Amino acid sequence: RFPEQLGQLKTWQAQRLFVRIFGGSAEQKPDHEGGPEKTFAIDPNEIDPIRGTSFAEQALAALQQHATQGPWPRSIAELLKARRIEAGKLPLIRYRLIKESSGTPALPENARSPLAGLELRESLALLLAPPQISNRPLTEFLDRPERVLAALVDWRASQSTPESPSPAPDPDRLRLFESRADKALAIASGVSLTLNSRAPVLVPGMPTTFSIDISNTGMQGLHVNGLRFNGWGQNAPVQTADLLLPDTETVVTIDSTTPKNATPTVPKEEHLYDGLFLGKHFDAVAELEIDGAKFSVDAEVARDVAPAVEIKKISPSLLVWTPGRRDQVLTITAVVRNNLEIPFRGVLEFNSTALGISAVGAALTLQANETRAVELRSSAAPPARLRARDSSKMNRNNGNAANPSNLAWLIVEDAAAKTISKRTVPVVFSDARVVPGLRVGYVPSFDQTLEHALAALGVNSKALSVDAIKSADLSSFNTIIIDNRGYEAHPELIAANSRLLEFVNAGGTLIVCYHKSNEWNPDASRHRPQLAPYLLLLGDERVTDETAPIKFLLLRHPLLNVPNKITPADFANWIQERGLYYPKEWDQPYSALFETNDPGEPPLKGGLLAAQYGKGNYIYTSMVWYRELRAGVPGAYRMFANMISYGHK
C-alpha cells in the first residue's frame, strides 16, 4: 500500500505478529503446521519494582483517564468482583504467535515476552549497551545513589568521543537511547529543568513572560554550558549562570509577545490533526556537564492561543430546525472567558441569516480571567415561511463552513464594535414531523444528545431519574426513551424495569437504545433478568460501514411511514457506523424492519425491532442514532420522530 511514500520513508518490518487469546483453556493447540502452539503470557498481577504497583493497577489507572468510554471499575477489587474472579488475582494474559518474518529466531517455550529470543546485531548492541556496576544492572543499586551516579558519569564520559565518519547503524534507535541516558543522568545527579509562563492562555498581540528554572538538588556542582529557549519559530540562547552549585537553583525569564497573526489553538475540535490540539508548544534545553560527562535536559510547556474573550462552548453546538420548532423562540447558551488581565466590556451577539432571525445580543461584562455562561433568547420565532422547500439549500452543503447559507454566528465585540472572537454554528433543516401533543420522558446516560434532539423536534420532554421511574405517574408520558447503555449507566434501573414494562402494557411506547451484550443479556449472577417483554438476546456483531445499504423488510410498517415516509435517502450521510451489538436471537412478536451488513458479511436484521406488548409498543434499536442525531443527519431525525410517535395518533 502507498508505494508513493517509499521515496520519503524507510521500510520497517515487525519480526513477530501476535494476537491475544480470549477465553478458552490454557492448553496449547497445534499451530497451522501441526506443531505445538507458540504463545507467551504476561502476569498482570506482577509488581513493577520501580513504581511499586502492579501492571494491572497501572492499566486500570490508564483506562480511568479514557473519559469518553466506561464506566470503569474504581479499583482492582471492584474489577475482580465485576468479572466474578474469586481467586483475588487476575488470570494470565496470553498471546498466540500468528506470523513471523523469515530468519526470525524461534520463540522459546514458556516465553514471558514477545521479544524473547530476539537479539540486536552485535554492532548495534555494543552502542546500546547500558552501563553496569560489577556486571549488574544499575537498578540493583538504587540504595547506593552515589555509585549509580559515578557509573553513569564514567560511562557517559567514555561516550564523548569524536563521531565516526561512517553513519551510525539505526540512528533513530541510537538517539532514543541517548535521550534516555540523559534523563538517567539528570535523575542521578539531581538536576531538573522546568519551563512555565505567567499567562495560562496566550492572546495574540499581548505580552507574557516565560520562566526557566534549573534546579540542582544533588551533592555535586554542575557546569551549565548553554541554555536555549525555543518559541515562535526562534531557537535563541539565554544567559544564565555558568556553575550550579549543590542544593541551589537559578531562574531566568524571557519576555515574549504573542504574534498578532498567531494561529488560535481553540476550539479544540478544530485542531485534532494540525498539531495544535494540545496548544502551542515551547521548549527549553540546557547543556550540562558533571565531572567531564556532558548531557542535556529539556522541558516543554504547551499553552493555548485564544482570543482576548474566548467563546469556549456553545449549546446546542448545532442547530437542527424542524417543523415542530416553528413556533419556538431560539435559545443559545454560550460559555465565554475573558483571557485578559483587565476587565472586558462589550456585546455577545447571535446572528442567523439562515433562520431569518435578526441579531440577538446581550451586554457582556467580564472581570479579568472570568468565565461565565450567557443565555441568548430571540425575541420571536423564525418566520413561518421556513419550510423544507425554502431550507433545502441549507442542507446542500451541510458541514461546509464556506457556505454561509447553512451557518449561524456567535460574535463577541468590544465597546468600539470591533470583533474580538467569532464562532460558527451549523444549521440543518430536517422535515421531521411528530404527532401533535406528544409528551416524552427520557433516562439520559452519558450526554445531552436526547435532550437536544427532542428540543429540535419541538417535543414536550422531560429527563427522568431512576427514582422517578420507580415512583412517578408514568401515564403522563406517551413515550419513554432509555438512552444508550442506560441499564449500565444506572444499574438500579434494572430493579425498576417492571415499572417500564407496566407503562408499555398500559399503552405507552418504550424505546431502548443500544447496549452491550454483557450489559443486557440475562445474568443470574448479576441479578439481571430478561429486560425486554419477550426474549431478546444480543450478540457482538456490528456494521461498521456507515454507507452499508439499508434493505427495508416491512415497507408498510407504521414505523417506516408515520408520520414521515422513510426512504433509503434518510440513511445517507451517516457517520462512523450503522450499528453495534446487534440482537442475535429474538421471539416471534418482534418485527425486524430492515437489514444491513458490512461488505462480504451476512445481513444483520435486528437493528430496529418493534413488538406490541399489551396496549403499548416496545422498540429496541442497535442503530447508532445518537451519533447521527448529534451530527445533525436530517434522515435520522425523521426516523427518530417516527419512533417516538409510534403508537400515538
Side-chain angles (χ1 to χ4, degrees), residues 192-208:
S192 62
L193 183 73
T194 56
L195 174 64
N196 213 330
S197 69
R198 180 176 58 85
V201 175
L202 305 181
V203 176
M206 300 298 292
T208 192

Side-chain angles (χ1 to χ4, degrees), residues 464-588:
L464 298 175
S465 65
V466 176
D467 286 340
I469 296 293
K470 292 178 179 178
S471 59
D473 180 9
L474 301 182
S475 65
S476 61
F477 298 99
N478 304 103
T479 297
I480 293 177
I481 309 170
I482 306 300
D483 203 354
N484 306 316
R485 304 181 63 195
Y487 289 96
E488 177 72 9
H490 311 284
E492 62 275 21
L493 187 60
I494 295 174
N497 190 62
S498 59
R499 288 272 295 161
L500 294 170
L501 297 183
E502 290 170 7
F503 164 78
V504 179
N505 190 50
T509 295
L510 180 65
I511 302 170
V512 180
C513 300
Y514 96 90
H515 283 67
K516 292 185 176 182
S517 52
N518 63 356
E519 300 167 354
W520 173 269
N521 292 340
D523 188 337
S525 65
R526 300 188 185 186
H527 307 288
R528 185 171 61 231
Q530 172 70 48
L531 297 172
Y534 311 109
L535 177 68
L536 196 163
L537 298 178
L538 305 184
D540 295 326
E541 291 77 18
R542 59 181 62 199
V543 179
T544 60
D545 186 348
E546 65 271 25
T547 65
I550 301 292
K551 179 182 177 181
F552 294 157
L553 302 176
L554 299 172
L555 287 172
R556 295 185 179 182
H557 196 283
L559 272 170
L560 297 177
N561 292 276
V562 181
N564 304 286
K565 176 68 175 177
I566 303 300
T567 71
D570 289 306
F571 291 86
N573 301 317
W574 273 45
I575 63 168
Q576 189 158 333
E577 58 202 347
R578 288 295 194 195
L580 58 172
Y581 299 101
Y582 275 71
K584 63 180 180 180
E585 183 180 347
W586 57 88
D587 271 353
Q588 185 67 32

